[in-house]
Structures are given as C-alpha cells and as structure tokens.
Amino acid sequence: MHAPVISRKGVFHCGACHSVLVKRTSYLLHPHLRNDVYVCQNPLCSASYSGHTEITGLVSPSGIPNAPACDLPPTPAYERALAERALRQQQNDAQLDIFDSPSP
Ligand SMILES: [Zn+2]
C-alpha cells in the first residue's frame, strides 16, 4: 500500500498510480454545489473519479451597494469580525459621550 500523496497546490492525485488528476467535466447540482469528474493523466491508467465542490459560507460580504442578501451562513471568522466591529463602534460611541457638551 502506497502512502497517500498530499499536494500543497491543492491538486488531486490518482489513488492507483499517483499521477495528477485533471478535471474533465463539471456541472452545477445546486447554486452552491458542483459535481466534478477527474481523470488520471497517466494514459496507461486513465482512472476517473467524481466528487463535489461546495460553497458553504459567507467569508465577507459583497462590496456592491444594495447587493442582494446572501442565503449562506456567515463563517465563524466573519461573525467574529462583525462582533469586533460592533464592539469598536460601541466603544467609540462611549468615548464620544465624554466630549459631548453637557446639556443645560
Ligand atoms: Zn492513475
């Protein structure tokens, strides 16, 4: 049994001969889910594999004004960024109160 090949470039390798797999076909099953078929580039092997690519979350929102809302959940990192922004805003609002002129 050969050790699995782990590519740092994110390229899949054939489980039988360890040659690079190339995406042959790809089609959408759902707006956020794609089915992919990969073929081994070794002509003597030519094994093929299928799999899925799925978009599962929103990492950062669109910068387009009035962009439609995203139906994907925010990633934990994005939720943390929103919470930090809200906390900063709250702290800034609290600081501004110091400089507000006292009401008569
Ligand atoms: Zn192969």
Side-chain angles (χ1 to χ4, degrees), residues 38-92:
Y38 292 88
V39 179
C40 176
Q41 289 305 283
N42 178 353
L44 297 176
C45 177
S46 297
S48 59
Y49 304 87
S50 70
H52 293 122
T53 303
E54 184 178 16
I55 294 177
T56 57
L58 181 65
V59 176
S60 68
S62 170
I64 298 173
N66 304 318
C70 181
D71 58 348
L72 291 169
T75 61
Y78 180 39
E79 282 186 319
R80 189 166 49 249
L82 288 175
E84 286 171 356
R85 187 182 310 160
L87 180 63
R88 265 198 312 276
Q89 187 63 48
Q90 193 179 30
Q91 288 170 340
N92 288 343

Side-chain angles (χ1 to χ4, degrees), residues 5-72:
V5 176
I6 306 296
S7 169
R8 293 198 175 131
K9 289 183 177 179
V11 178
F12 292 122
H13 289 85
C14 178
C17 75
H18 306 293
S19 295
V20 169
L21 297 179
V22 171
K23 192 185 291 187
R24 175 63 54 84
T25 58
S26 182
Y27 56 91
L28 285 178
L29 295 168
H30 177 272
H32 302 305
L33 184 64
R34 178 185 299 280
N35 184 78
D36 306 307
V37 175
Y38 292 88
V39 179
C40 176
Q41 289 305 283
N42 178 353
L44 297 176
C45 177
S46 297
S48 59
Y49 304 87
S50 70
H52 293 122
T53 303
E54 184 178 16
I55 294 177
T56 57
L58 181 65
V59 176
S60 68
S62 170
I64 298 173
N66 304 318
C70 181
D71 58 348
L72 291 169

